[in-house]
């Protein structure tokens, strides 16, 4: 892919879901990927509450801390994807927040 782009202006996006069950696995994967020298970021990750189509218990705050420690950027896939009233969420679907009106701490509530 890089050879096809003479400017080498490519950024890859790592998606972290069920194949990454814990921080140890994440750290190993990030270290291996960073060692390739490719430009990448974590472009999708879930809420870490063992829900969604590819569930994991890896907490978003742990994922972001591991990425930050390695100088890797992150983008959350969806802040609130279950469309409850008043920007509230629950554990029935894919949401990183329970209440979008409160500051994010990485903790459940």
């Amino acid at each position: 892919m890089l050879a096809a782009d003479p400017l080498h202006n490519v950024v890859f996006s790592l998606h972290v879901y069920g194949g990454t069950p814990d921080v140890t696995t994440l750290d190993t994967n990030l270290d291996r990927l960073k060692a390739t020298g490719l430009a990448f970021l974590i472009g999708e990750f879930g809420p870490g509450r063992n829900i969604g189509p590819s569930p994991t218990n890896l907490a978003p705050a742990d994922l972001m801390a591991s990425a930050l420690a390695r100088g890797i950027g992150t983008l959350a896939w969806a802040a609130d994807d279950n469309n409850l009233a008043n920007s509230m969420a629950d554990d029935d679907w894919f949401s990183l927040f329970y209440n979008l009106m409160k500051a994010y701490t990485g903790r459940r509530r």
Side-chain angles (χ1 to χ4, degrees):
M1 182 174 278
L2 288 175
D5 178 8
L7 298 177
H8 299 288
N9 197 19
V10 175
V11 175
F12 295 92
S13 177
L14 174 64
H15 299 185
V16 180
Y17 294 111
T20 309
D22 54 42
V23 174
T24 301
T25 302
L26 175 68
D27 289 347
T28 299
N29 292 343
L30 293 180
D31 290 341
R32 289 175 63 201
L33 189 53
K34 186 155 180 149
T36 67
L38 295 171
F40 75 96
L41 56 83
I42 300 174
E44 288 190 17
F45 57 94
R49 295 188 304 273
N50 206 32
I51 57 176
S54 184
T56 180
N57 281 316
L58 179 62
D62 293 336
L63 179 144
M64 290 185 284
S66 288
L68 180 63
R70 290 162 176 77
I72 299 168
T74 61
L75 295 170
W77 179 69
D80 175 16
D81 196 30
N82 58 340
N83 299 320
L84 299 180
N86 300 315
S87 299
M88 297 298 290
D90 57 24
D91 281 335
D92 290 336
W93 196 240
F94 226 64
S95 180
L96 295 177
F97 301 92
Y98 282 101
N99 182 344
L100 286 175
M101 306 312 278
K102 294 174 74 175
Y104 179 67
T105 64
R107 292 174 180 77
R108 291 198 61 181
R109 291 200 163 102

